[in-house]
Amino acid sequence: MTLTAAEIKTLVGVPETVLPPEVAAALPADTPGPPWRVRMSGLLWRHRPTAGAATAVPTPLERRRRGITNVGFVRYSETPVGAYDEVMGAPVTVRGGLLGRTCVPLIAVDSIPSVHAGRAHWALPKVMAAFAWEPDDSVRVDGDGWWLSARVVQRGLSIPIFGRSTQAQVRPDGRVGSVPVTMRGRGRVVTVDVAVDPNASFASWLLPGRHRGILLTAATMRVGAPRWRQQ
């Protein structure tokens, strides 16, 4: 069930994802819906959640006792709305199912159609940002008054990647959507040096410093349709 135009505009995750009026005015009337099958590469990492991670999870979702913080920069080479770059952050695993679910309150892209698609079809609070990728596998994103950067400082083994997860997003009316996500491809184990805007709201749960991660060299991902229900 696609979000209404009003819901698309009012959907907010972390404070940095408030949709500016000029971006809202530029959104297309429609974009291709799920499922999406995409090709991608990127730089992903994770760390243990901070005490402040739970505050970034929207009501009515609840933090799982044992969880993880997931963050990543992604380059989509093929999607239903064309190629684009993305940064996303999931502060902590939330309750649901046997293994818990991920919730993404921080997400930004450099594509207006992707902003609409993420908000309309999955309640992902996408906003616009600018990305700078360097040949040494370092990347920086600059949003509206915030920034985040990461660079690979050590490379390890090349490994196959396969993942299956469930994402949980919350509509403005409080309904929760469960979204099946599968990914397969290849990547390299790396150490990532992360720098975080200290004035950003997400600095309370997205930790700077060195973390273990994956340099995703090539992968395919399928994002299914959400099942919406009242929590």
Side-chain angles (χ1 to χ4, degrees):
M1 182 184 297
T2 304
L3 273 67
T4 67
E7 288 176 321
I8 289 170
K9 294 176 182 178
T10 58
L11 179 68
V12 179
V14 297
E16 289 78 8
T17 62
V18 172
L19 192 65
E22 63 273 18
V23 177
L27 295 179
D30 193 21
T31 46
W36 271 26
R37 294 175 176 84
V38 303
R39 294 185 181 276
M40 57 190 284
S41 58
L43 180 58
L44 316 175
W45 69 95
R46 53 175 48 188
H47 57 71
R48 291 182 179 178
T50 68
T55 63
V57 174
T59 305
L61 300 180
E62 297 181 10
R63 173 178 177 165
R64 198 166 184 260
R65 179 173 295 181
R66 293 186 179 181
I68 201 76
T69 297
N70 287 286
V71 194
F73 286 95
V74 181
R75 307 204 82 174
Y76 293 102
S77 57
E78 295 181 23
T79 83
V81 295
Y84 64 89
D85 295 343
E86 178 179 279
V87 64
M88 55 75 64
V92 66
T93 311
V94 298
R95 293 182 179 180
L98 293 176
L99 300 177
R101 296 170 180 168
T102 59
C103 177
V104 181
L106 169 63
I107 184 165
V109 296
D110 60 357
S111 160
I112 288 285
S114 177
V115 170
H116 178 275
R119 286 174 171 260
H121 305 306
W122 293 283
L124 287 163
K126 292 185 178 182
V127 290
M128 290 291 289
F131 294 79
W133 297 79
E134 301 297 337
D136 64 350
D137 296 320
S138 63
V139 56
R140 175 177 167 122
V141 59
D142 285 276
D144 186 7
W146 59 270
W147 59 268
L148 175 68
S149 68
R151 64 186 181 93
V152 174
V153 294
Q154 186 175 357
R155 293 168 174 79
L157 296 175
S158 177
I159 58 173
I161 303 294
F162 176 79
R164 179 175 294 168
S165 62
T166 302
Q167 188 171 304
Q169 297 297 130
V170 182
R171 298 169 66 113
D173 65 6
R175 280 180 289 177
V176 176
S178 299
V179 182
V181 180
T182 57
M183 183 177 68
R184 66 175 67 239
R186 293 202 66 83
R188 187 173 294 279
V189 177
V190 294
T191 300
V192 186
D193 190 17
V194 178
V196 180
D197 181 349
N199 298 314
S201 72
F202 53 80
S204 66
W205 55 267
L206 202 166
L207 294 178
R210 295 196 172 187
H211 308 290
R212 297 304 297 271
I214 295 291
L215 182 63
L216 195 63
T217 52
T220 58
M221 183 170 68
R222 182 186 187 277
V223 185
R227 294 184 177 181
W228 299 106
R229 63 184 176 84
Q230 200 70 37
Q231 192 81 337

